[in-house]
């Protein structure tokens, strides 16, 4: 028997390279990512209601700041269950203990993760597999042990865990108070159980071994009450030594004799509940009794993700990254019954729901066909915005306890309205639009009244970049408000409110003109950060001076900038370039910039003082950070104005960071830090590919699609299958050989319309569905073709 309080006395394992052993029995699939060095980095295994975050070497060090050091471990939101788990072995023949096992190889698959260990002393190879089903608050840890020694292995095997039932970030604002844990053994059911002494938060842990001996740390009076289901003592009225219950340690210990060349497996099941002990046990039993079925369901789920919006492109690395980004995004779905179901922002720091992150990410999520989760995410944000604000303002973030961290930056309301309209275009769901229209109407009113105190159509308040002092009339707020007005005008037309349709269409045009006039900095060929008085500009600089007080070069820049601003009358109004944040690209991203200004700004953004090898800096003043979202917006902006090779370059900058932190994932901060799996990466990868390289412009309500593909240099053939648009699916392909280009598109339901737009060549011969066509519709150098059900167009040189 192992004394679980002294397991740290063991002998460390060897890291000798493995031969043809467990490492070679891995299932053959193209979606496996591995890593054998620098394993002191994070990973996640997730279902929709439970996830595990730890290190790729199999350990669980303290992680994260929002709940200091507690963001790792096993969570069934809104609560944490375990700090972590480990395996400890004792060689009964030699009396040696092997603990602190560290993996020598880590493997990510879309549906699970694996660790590989080697204990050279006794010729033992270990494979640990961690699996969480799509649904349910339970996960499975399996250890497969292979004896490579010539002698039989006689082992004592202990699975050890540390309970830590607690709520997450900001939950105190929802009135939640964490209490010490109580833990006990249910001998009849062979379970370890634990409960937070103040809340109905429960943990259950079991093993598939009938012979496992269960141990816990010393029992207490409180724990002794549980087996008889008596009321737990009131911890507030009982003097308890500090830390007596916290981080309770338990173990399941078994003895196994493993013949030479043979293997043995042990599995453990961890589950939780925020409601009852019975539910925690039921979740545990559900996974134990239905593992094979739940495993098959999850594998099938990811196979469906692969097939949906399935691309075949010449760049196989990028094709692989595109698929993994779809997997990563699915990992971020969390469902909490009291909150809703939707995409969270990122592991491990932001496993809750954000307005900004989703307004970007949902563009890629819709483009890759996940309509249902897109709608549920928007519904979650709407319902909590109503609870928090009640005036159309969209929240910045809501945590799993239901607490609102920030009631919403100004741009988030506008961005959300854009997302609602985009969802309607992709899905054609009129009921969805009817449901959201009253809330959207409130949001427009809030933007144009409460947030636009001087009635100049530039709402005030913080935008995406939460820079100290930058609480003004910002470029991203103005641009997304313009797009929100246009979106609302379109919604009003669908709803039948024609007066509102015309009114807001005109406001959208007026605001577009004002942005291009007042925000444009002709001297720098860039859009400004904000519009306002010189006094406001000085205030923004003062905020930046405080924020960057430890960076001499930045301080020098802002002191010089402040001196320049002080040369103007304090009430002088103008557009000001203060931070040169990446959001100055938003007029180009949304397509409202005139061609000349857009191309000039894009060229300027590509210069060395604005961009690095990872794309545009978050701030071209401090030049400290890059993010996938800033590089993604640059990619979309370049593609929007026809610069597809430049766009693809930026997508490949993102792809180049694939697997640098976690195998199979892309970090939020480029190249390899921040959240190791971030939601808006799918915007940065999928939108340039689906909506610009393939050129998909959906109009599901009208049963039609416009295709305006852009062919990157060197891409002679590429295709797209199972592209969801409304209740239909589209297949398309583009090929180019020598001087002949072929464009093909076909609907599953052949009654839907297709419009294809391609560059017009007056010398070319156009064949449409097998027949030569001479009268080509052309506008501004582009040729337009229309068909029902399918289009097959060949463009060839004249004979």
């Amino acid at each position: 028997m192992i004394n679980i309080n002294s397991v740290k006395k063991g002998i460390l394992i060897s890291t000798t390279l493995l031969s043809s052993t467990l490492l070679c029995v891995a299932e053959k699939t193209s979606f496996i990512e591995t890593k054998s060095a620098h394993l002191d980095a994070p990973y996640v295994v997730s279902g929709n209601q439970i996830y595990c975050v730890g290190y790729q070497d199999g350990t669980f060090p303290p992680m994260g700041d929002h709940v200091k050091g507690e963001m790792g471990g096993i969570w069934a939101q809104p609560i944490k269950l375990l700090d972590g788990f480990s395996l400890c072995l004792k060689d009964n023949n030699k009396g040696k203990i092997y603990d602190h096992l560290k993996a020598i190889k880590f493997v990510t698959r879309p549906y699970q993760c694996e660790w590989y260990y080697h204990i050279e002393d006794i010729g033992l190879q270990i494979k640990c597999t961690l699996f969480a089903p799509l649904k349910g608050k339970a996960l499975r840890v399996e250890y497969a042990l292979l004896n490579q020694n010539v002698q039989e292995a006689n082992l004592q095997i202990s699975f050890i865990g540390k309970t830590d039932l607690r709520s997450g970030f900001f939950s105190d604002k929802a009135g939640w108070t964490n209490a010490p844990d109580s833990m006990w053994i249910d001998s009849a059911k062979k379970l370890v159980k634990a409960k937070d002494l103040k809340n109905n938060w429960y943990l259950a842990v079991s093993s598939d071994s009938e012979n496992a001996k269960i141990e816990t740390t010393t029992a207490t009076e409180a724990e002794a009450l549980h087996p008889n289901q008596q009321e737990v003592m009131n911890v507030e009225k009982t003097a308890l030594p500090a830390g007596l219950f916290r981080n309770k340690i338990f173990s399941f210990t078994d003895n196994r004799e493993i013949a030479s060349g043979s293997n043995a497996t042990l599995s453990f099941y961890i589950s939780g509940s925020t409601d009852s002990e019975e539910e925690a046990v039921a979740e545990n039993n559900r996974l134990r009794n239905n593992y094979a079925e739940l495993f098959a369901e999850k594998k099938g789920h990811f196979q469906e993700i692969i097939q949906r919006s399935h691309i075949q492109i010449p760049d196989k690395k990028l094709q692989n990254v595109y698929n993994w980004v779809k997997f990563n995004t699915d990992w971020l779905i969390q469902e909490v019954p009291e909150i809703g179901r939707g995409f969270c922002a990122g592991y491990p720091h932001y496993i809750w729901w954000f307005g900004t992150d989703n307004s970007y990410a949902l563009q890629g999520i819709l483009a890759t066909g996940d309509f249902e989760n897109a709608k549920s995410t928007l519904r979650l944000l709407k319902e909590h915005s109503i609870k928090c604000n009640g005036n159309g303002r969209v929240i910045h973030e809501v945590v799993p306890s239901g607490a609102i961290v920030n009631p919403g930056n100004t741009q988030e309301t506008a961005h959300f309205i854009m997302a609602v309209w985009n969802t309607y275009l992709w899905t054609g769901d009129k009921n969805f639009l009817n449901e959201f229209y009253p809330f959207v109407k409130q949001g427009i009113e809030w933007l144009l009244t409460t947030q636009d105190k001087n009635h100049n159509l530039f709402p005030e308040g913080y935008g995406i970049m939460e820079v100290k002092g930058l609480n003004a009339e910002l470029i991203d707020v103005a641009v997304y408000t313009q797009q929100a007005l246009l979106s609302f005008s379109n919604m009003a037309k669908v709803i039948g409110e024609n007066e509102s349709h015309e009114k807001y269409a005109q406001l959208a045009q007026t605001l577009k003109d004002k942005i291009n006039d007042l925000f444009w900095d002709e001297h720098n060929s860039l859009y400004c950060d904000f519009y306002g008085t010189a006094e406001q500009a000085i205030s923004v600089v003062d905020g930046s001076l405080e924020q960057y007080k430890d960076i001499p070069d930045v301080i020098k820049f802002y002191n010089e900038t402040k001196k320049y601003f002080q040369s103007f009358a304090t009430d002088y109004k103008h557009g000001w370039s203060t931070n040169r944040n990446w959001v100055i690209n938003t007029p180009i991203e949304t397509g409202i910039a005139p061609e000349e200004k857009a191309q000039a700004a894009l060229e300027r953004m590509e210069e060395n003082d604005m961009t690095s090898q990872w794309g545009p800096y978050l701030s071209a003043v401090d030049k400290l950070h890059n993010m996938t979202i800033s590089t993604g917006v640059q990619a979309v902006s370049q593609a929007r104005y026809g610069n597809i090779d430049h766009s693809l370059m930026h997508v490949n900058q993102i792809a180049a960071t694939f697997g640098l932190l976690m195998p199979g994932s892309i970090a939020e901060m480029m190249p390899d830090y921040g959240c190791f799996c971030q939601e808006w990466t799918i915007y940065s990868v999928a939108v340039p590919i689906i909506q610009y390289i393939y050129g998909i412009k959906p109009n599901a309500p009208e049963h039609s699609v416009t295709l305006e593909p852009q062919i990157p240099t060197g891409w002679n053939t590429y295709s797209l299958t199972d592209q969801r648009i409304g209740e239909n699916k589209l297949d398309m392909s583009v090929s180019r050989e020598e001087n002949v280009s072929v464009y093909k598109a076909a609907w599953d339901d052949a009654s839907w319309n297709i419009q294809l737009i391609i560059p017009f060549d007056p010398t070319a011969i156009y064949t449409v569905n097998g027949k030569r066509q001479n009268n080509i519709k052309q506008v501004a150098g582009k040729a337009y073709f229309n068909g029902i059900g399918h289009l097959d167009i060949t463009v060839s040189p004249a004979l």
Side-chain angles (χ1 to χ4, degrees):
M1 180 179 70
I2 293 178
N3 180 345
I4 63 175
N5 293 313
S6 62
V7 294
K8 294 183 178 180
K9 298 178 181 178
I11 300 171
L12 296 181
I13 64 169
S14 163
T15 58
T16 301
L17 293 176
L18 304 186
S19 56
S20 55
T21 58
L22 285 173
L23 292 180
C24 298
V25 301
E27 169 194 351
K28 292 183 178 180
T29 170
S30 58
F31 296 110
I32 298 176
E33 296 295 325
T34 65
K35 194 175 174 187
S36 299
H38 306 295
L39 299 183
D40 54 342
Y43 73 88
V44 65
V45 171
S46 73
N48 295 160
Q49 292 182 290
I50 195 167
Y51 64 86
C52 179
V53 170
Y55 267 19
Q56 295 158 31
D57 61 8
T59 64
F60 289 89
M63 191 183 304
D65 293 321
H66 287 96
V67 182
K68 190 70 175 179
E70 297 287 351
M71 302 301 285
I74 298 173
W75 287 79
Q77 293 285 9
I79 62 168
K80 186 175 184 178
L81 304 179
L82 290 184
D83 270 341
F85 57 84
S86 62
L87 191 72
C88 179
L89 303 175
K90 180 180 179 182
D91 181 352
N92 288 327
N93 295 325
K94 298 180 180 179
K96 288 186 179 180
I97 293 176
Y98 304 87
D99 67 347
H100 292 285
L101 304 181
K102 287 194 175 182
I104 62 173
K105 184 174 183 178
F106 174 77
V107 174
T108 307
R109 302 176 192 268
Y111 48 86
Q112 67 184 30
C113 287
E114 299 154 11
W115 293 257
Y116 295 89
Y117 305 81
H118 183 213
I119 304 179
E120 188 176 26
D121 278 4
I122 51 178
L124 189 69
Q125 309 247 359
I126 305 171
K127 173 185 174 183
C128 175
T129 303
L130 184 59
F131 171 81
L134 286 176
K135 302 175 183 177
K137 300 179 181 179
L139 58 78
R140 179 180 188 260
V141 185
E142 180 191 78
Y143 290 95
L145 297 88
L146 173 63
N147 180 15
Q148 288 190 303
N149 209 329
V150 294
Q151 298 177 342
E152 180 180 77
N154 185 350
L155 301 174
Q156 187 179 71
I157 306 166
S158 292
F159 175 75
I160 302 167
K162 291 169 62 179
T163 73
D164 191 6
L165 290 161
R166 63 160 67 233
S167 57
F169 176 58
F170 217 68
S171 56
D172 57 321
K173 300 301 180 183
W176 294 18
T177 303
N178 298 322
D181 297 348
S182 176
M183 183 169 64
W184 70 103
I185 299 170
D186 185 329
S187 300
K189 296 182 179 178
K190 295 189 176 181
L191 288 166
V192 167
K193 298 178 181 178
K195 181 186 185 297
D196 179 282
L197 286 173
K198 264 192 167 183
N199 304 281
N200 287 325
W201 303 340
Y202 286 90
L203 165 75
V205 186
S206 69
S207 167
D208 64 354
S209 172
E210 292 293 325
N211 301 316
K213 181 175 182 179
I214 307 173
E215 293 182 281
T216 68
T217 49
T218 306
T220 67
E221 179 183 356
E223 292 167 331
L225 298 173
H226 283 286
N228 298 320
Q229 301 300 303
Q230 299 177 33
E231 184 178 355
V232 177
M233 71 166 108
N234 186 337
V235 70
E236 290 183 331
K237 297 180 180 179
T238 306
L240 297 174
L244 179 62
F245 296 87
R246 185 58 65 196
N247 291 335
K248 306 290 292 186
I249 299 176
F250 64 85
S251 72
F252 289 78
T253 301
D254 202 354
N255 286 285
R256 292 292 178 96
E257 295 178 350
I258 308 173
S260 175
S262 298
N263 61 71
T265 61
L266 299 92
S267 298
F268 305 92
Y269 301 84
I270 301 161
S271 59
S273 171
T274 54
D275 293 322
S276 68
E277 178 183 341
E278 290 75 18
E279 183 186 51
V281 173
E283 290 285 345
N284 202 285
N285 289 334
R286 175 177 172 269
L287 181 54
R288 286 188 62 178
N289 298 333
N290 302 283
Y291 165 70
E293 176 185 333
L294 295 173
F295 179 78
E297 178 188 34
K298 192 172 186 182
K299 283 192 69 175
H301 172 73
F302 282 99
Q303 187 60 41
E304 289 174 3
I305 290 175
I306 295 167
Q307 295 305 316
R308 196 174 63 221
S309 300
H310 182 67
I311 66 172
Q312 288 285 348
I313 61 178
D315 186 341
K316 296 306 177 185
K317 177 182 177 181
L318 181 57
Q319 181 174 313
N320 185 53
V321 169
Y322 166 86
N323 282 302
W324 274 100
V325 168
K326 291 197 289 180
F327 304 153
N328 302 160
T329 309
D330 195 78
W331 296 348
L332 289 159
I333 296 170
Q334 286 294 298
E335 181 174 351
V336 178
E338 296 79 8
I339 306 300
R341 176 185 175 92
F343 294 97
C344 297
Y347 290 107
H349 306 297
Y350 296 101
I351 304 303
W352 49 88
W353 305 274
F354 285 76
T356 295
D357 300 60
N358 273 298
S359 292
Y360 280 118
L362 291 179
Q363 295 177 58
I365 289 163
L366 289 164
T368 52
D370 192 351
F371 298 166
E372 293 73 24
N373 286 313
K375 288 189 282 190
S376 68
T377 300
L378 290 170
R379 192 167 285 117
L380 182 157
L381 292 169
K382 173 176 69 73
E383 290 173 357
H384 289 280
S385 295
I386 291 171
K387 289 179 184 178
C388 174
N389 298 316
N391 59 358
R393 181 182 185 180
V394 173
I395 57 172
H396 180 63
E397 56 186 310
V398 56
V399 296
S401 65
I404 306 297
V405 179
N406 174 345
N409 297 330
T410 305
Q411 130 278 339
E412 282 169 296
T413 297
H415 220 170
F416 181 91
I417 293 168
M418 294 165 59
V420 170
W421 177 246
N422 193 38
T423 301
Y424 178 63
L425 289 178
W426 276 102
T427 66
D429 188 341
K430 181 75 176 293
N431 291 332
F432 168 84
L433 192 66
N434 287 332
E435 173 192 343
F436 276 74
Y437 186 74
F439 179 72
V440 166
K441 196 171 187 177
Q442 276 191 309
I444 290 289
E445 182 70 14
W446 180 77
L447 286 168
L448 296 184
T449 56
T450 303
Q451 292 306 107
D452 186 17
K453 295 180 176 59
N454 60 4
H455 308 295
N456 66 348
L457 286 183
F458 295 157
E460 297 94 19
Y462 282 102
I464 298 168
M465 300 297 293
E466 296 168 325
V467 177
K468 186 176 179 62
L470 200 59
N471 184 6
E473 294 177 344
L474 304 178
I475 182 66
D476 52 318
V477 175
V479 169
Y480 290 152
T481 297
Q482 190 276 337
Q483 291 288 286
L485 291 171
L486 186 60
S487 296
F488 182 64
S489 170
N490 291 328
M491 292 183 210
K493 183 177 181 180
V494 174
I495 297 297
E497 295 183 359
N498 292 327
E499 186 176 335
S500 291
H501 163 62
E502 293 174 2
K503 173 185 175 180
Y504 289 101
Q506 183 57 53
L507 284 174
Q509 182 61 48
T510 300
L511 183 50
K512 175 182 175 180
D513 294 340
K514 291 187 71 172
I515 290 168
N516 284 305
D517 178 23
L518 298 177
F519 274 93
W520 178 248
D521 181 350
E522 185 67 35
H523 177 70
N524 289 302
S525 296
L526 292 170
Y527 285 91
C528 298
D529 291 286
F530 77 100
Y531 178 82
T533 65
E535 184 179 20
Q536 287 176 307
I538 292 168
S539 175
V540 171
V541 170
D542 286 339
S544 297
L545 282 167
E546 183 178 343
Q547 184 167 340
Y548 294 106
K549 58 188 175 183
D550 297 325
I551 308 176
D553 289 345
V554 177
I555 293 295
K556 179 181 178 182
F557 170 85
Y558 279 120
N559 280 329
E560 292 174 353
T561 302
K562 182 176 181 179
K563 185 177 179 180
Y564 170 70
F565 291 167
Q566 287 172 332
S567 69
F568 295 90
T570 56
D571 61 350
Y572 174 71
K573 286 190 173 183
H574 201 267
W576 304 96
S577 292
T578 53
N579 302 84
R580 294 189 181 178
N581 293 320
W582 61 272
V583 295
I584 62 177
N585 258 346
T586 52
I588 311 166
E589 174 213 3
T590 55
I592 68 170
E595 178 77 18
E596 184 178 349
K597 289 180 178 178
Q599 296 294 359
L602 287 170
E603 184 176 348
R604 179 70 183 89
M605 287 292 291
E606 298 290 357
E607 293 181 10
N608 289 339
D609 65 325
M610 301 291 292
T611 188
S612 77
Q613 64 176 316
W614 306 115
Y617 293 110
L618 293 188
S619 166
V621 174
D622 66 42
K623 299 178 178 59
L624 293 176
H625 305 291
N626 296 89
M627 294 181 78
T628 56
I629 189 58
S630 52
T631 302
V633 166
Q634 183 78 351
V636 170
S637 299
Q638 290 283 13
R640 169 86 67 170
Y641 285 83
N643 307 321
I644 201 63
D645 286 343
H646 270 93
S647 174
L648 189 57
M649 176 191 73
H650 289 300
V651 175
N652 277 314
Q653 286 174 329
I654 295 169
T657 70
F658 178 68
L660 293 184
L661 195 53
M662 175 185 171
S665 188
I666 291 174
E668 165 194 31
M669 305 297 295
M670 298 171 72
D672 59 359
Y673 64 106
C675 286
F676 60 86
C677 176
Q678 222 290 344
E679 180 192 12
W680 56 31
T681 302
I682 197 167
Y683 162 91
S684 302
V685 173
V687 172
I689 292 175
I690 299 297
Q691 295 196 245
Y692 292 98
I693 291 178
Y694 289 97
I696 304 287
K697 295 176 176 61
N699 190 350
E702 300 295 329
H703 290 187
S704 69
V705 66
T706 296
L707 306 176
E708 191 171 359
Q710 298 182 52
I711 306 176
T713 300
W715 284 35
N716 293 326
T717 302
Y718 58 99
S719 64
L720 173 67
T721 55
D722 278 358
Q723 177 62 47
R724 288 184 75 187
I725 300 174
E727 297 180 356
N728 210 344
K729 289 182 180 179
L730 179 78
D731 293 346
M732 69 170 291
S733 65
V734 177
S735 64
R736 182 171 54 188
E737 186 174 348
E738 295 182 352
N739 296 322
V740 177
S741 298
V742 179
Y743 304 86
K744 294 183 179 182
W747 288 109
D748 276 4
D749 179 345
S751 66
W752 284 38
N753 298 311
I754 301 172
Q755 181 180 66
L756 177 71
I757 304 174
I758 57 177
F760 177 68
D761 180 355
T763 68
I765 295 173
Y766 291 86
T767 303
V768 180
N769 295 338
K771 295 181 180 180
R772 180 168 175 171
Q773 186 166 326
N774 296 317
N775 297 319
I776 308 298
K777 178 185 176 181
Q778 52 175 302
V779 179
K782 294 182 178 180
Y784 288 71
F785 302 90
N786 293 283
I788 298 175
H790 77 282
L791 271 177
D792 187 340
I793 297 175
T794 300
V795 183
S796 55
L799 298 176

